Amino acid sequence: MTATPELTSFGDRFEERLREAAIADSPFVTEAATHVISAGGKRFRPLLVALSSQFGGDVDEERLMDAALVMEITHVASLYHDDVMDEADLRRAAPSANARWGNLVAILVGDYLFSRASSIVAGLGVEYVALQAATFTRLVQGQVAETIGPDDETDPLEHYLQVIADKTGSLIAASALFGAMVSGADQSVLDALAAYGEELGLVFQLSDDLIDITSNQTGKTPGTDLREGVATLPTLLLARSDDPGDAELLELLDSDLSCDERLAEALEALRAHPVIDEARAEVNRRAELAKSHLAPLRDGEAKDMLLALCDELVNRSV
Ligand code: FPP
Ligand code: MG
């Protein structure tokens, strides 16, 4: 996707403001809070805020910037906590905050960043605060549900889809809504962008989980979900298989994968299994569904870019 000059200039100012927003009273907190921000990132959520702001009326640039900052800072804050939960060593090809400074610092710096996002959202107005709070509720509930796993009455695949809707779809949908709200868009636009954002969020996390298995270029350790015992679409599809030929792989996936050789063996076998293509087909199907929610929106560059985001997620390898 080629960015317009306006988007490129917004992106440059955004980077500056993002760093400024993380500055703390203590140089140590500033260093730890800018650590993940400086390591890069796709800035997917601020891009979505900016594109979604093109479907209403006049946009106040400062409010648009603040809306984009709230979404990215909340996302980054959640990554500090997520890497503690996943015991991850790498984030954005750099040592994770927990690997560098330990769990206690990583958790508190995540809290610090969330406080910075809360302070910015307060300036936007009560309806933004309410959406931000509802999103935080879903993020946390999604993470807890992932951690405890499905109960006996719940289908594991249904459980997984609810988890990813809450832990990822919620913030991506909120990003689309924040942009539309800043532009004073009418309710039909808000509804379309919310539905698009929820589905796009599912596509984002489905593809993220898929490349946790298939890619060595994510800047994260491949196979983290397998090692942590977190079931994702390919392993859930495999678990449904009644082919006796799959028993050995299922047993391997169920075993202790803390040893690097066993994890590599599991990754290699899973990468060669047809469930990977089945999972890809599901990502594709849902990406088309996300696109269909954009039908009521006015045609133009912003809509084309929102459509292109769906294709990029289907084809992503990082
Ligand atoms: C990434 O999952 C994690 C999330 C999308 C949400 C994390 C949310 C929390 C930890 C709740 C606390 C939130 C805040 C704002 C402090 P993943 O492990 O599948 O993705 P990864 O591959 O990028 O690690
Ligand atoms: Mg993680």
Side-chain angles (χ1 to χ4, degrees):
M1 192 171 66
T2 326
T4 60
E6 292 80 18
L7 258 186
T8 308
S9 139
F10 177 79
D12 292 344
R13 279 179 289 122
F14 177 81
E15 290 304 317
E16 217 175 289
R17 293 287 305 276
L18 187 58
R19 270 161 221 274
E20 280 168 19
I23 293 173
D25 293 341
S26 116
F28 173 74
V29 177
T30 302
E31 187 194 351
T34 46
H35 176 70
V36 171
I37 290 170
S38 306
K42 296 179 276 296
R43 310 297 191 234
F44 186 76
R45 292 154 191 83
L47 173 63
L48 201 49
V49 175
L51 293 176
S52 301
S53 74
Q54 299 302 300
F55 297 97
D58 287 345
V59 174
D60 177 313
E61 281 290 313
E62 264 313 294
R63 288 175 64 78
L64 176 63
M65 182 60 74
D66 283 349
L69 286 168
V70 170
M71 291 293 108
E72 184 64 13
I73 297 171
T74 302
H75 168 59
V76 173
S78 80
L79 297 180
Y80 278 75
H81 287 195
D82 180 65
D83 284 342
V84 170
M85 294 182 72
D86 290 348
E87 302 179 53
D89 296 326
L90 277 180
R91 170 67 64 185
R92 298 177 177 170
S96 59
N98 46 301
R100 183 137 176 218
W101 293 288
N103 285 350
L104 297 187
V105 167
I107 290 167
L108 288 169
V109 171
D111 290 344
Y112 166 74
L113 283 167
F114 192 67
S115 79
R116 298 298 302 126
S118 306
S119 155
I120 299 170
V121 79
L124 284 170
V126 72
E127 65 278 31
Y128 294 82
V129 176
L131 177 54
Q132 163 77 346
T135 305
F136 192 30
T137 301
R138 287 185 65 193
L139 282 178
V140 173
Q141 292 187 139
Q143 284 291 109
V144 173
E146 180 177 279
T147 305
I148 61 173
D151 60 29
D152 291 344
E153 277 88 61
T154 311
D155 173 57
L157 189 51
E158 289 303 317
H159 172 84
Y160 166 70
L161 291 173
Q162 187 61 52
V163 163
I164 65 175
D166 285 340
K167 77 172 194 177
T168 306
S170 61
L171 192 58
I172 291 186
S175 301
L177 273 171
F178 262 35
M181 284 158 69
V182 163
S183 73
D186 63 32
Q187 193 58 47
S188 63
V189 171
L190 295 178
D191 292 345
L193 282 168
Y196 164 80
E198 281 284 336
E199 201 60 50
L200 189 73
L202 285 184
V203 175
F204 187 97
Q205 191 62 46
L206 285 167
S207 66
D208 198 72
D209 291 345
L210 194 50
I211 62 178
D212 183 70
I213 297 167
T214 58
S215 171
N216 291 326
Q217 306 162 312
T218 58
K220 304 179 257 190
T221 309
T224 298
D225 292 330
L226 297 185
R227 179 166 270 168
E228 292 298 310
V230 175
T232 62
L233 188 59
T235 54
L236 286 164
L237 292 172
L238 188 70
R240 288 182 162 192
S241 158
D242 45 20
D243 182 342
D246 289 333
E248 202 181 324
L249 177 54
L250 279 167
E251 208 175 298
L252 175 63
L253 292 176
D254 218 20
S255 67
D256 178 5
L257 296 176
S258 54
C259 140
D260 288 348
E261 286 72 32
R262 278 184 79 79
L263 182 64
E265 195 190 327
L267 274 174
E268 196 187 329
L270 199 52
R271 284 173 182 179
H273 196 283
V275 284
I276 297 296
D277 280 343
E278 281 176 50
R280 281 211 176 96
E282 179 61 6
V283 175
N284 213 356
R285 186 185 74 79
R286 286 195 175 262
E288 292 304 313
L289 197 56
K291 286 184 191 172
S292 71
H293 290 302
L294 296 174
L297 301 188
R298 63 174 170 248
D299 290 337
E301 213 161 25
K303 183 165 164 178
D304 290 344
M305 289 175 93
L306 290 177
L307 290 167
L309 277 185
C310 299
D311 295 327
E312 282 191 8
L313 288 185
V314 170
N315 299 319
R316 73 188 268 225
S317 61
V318 289

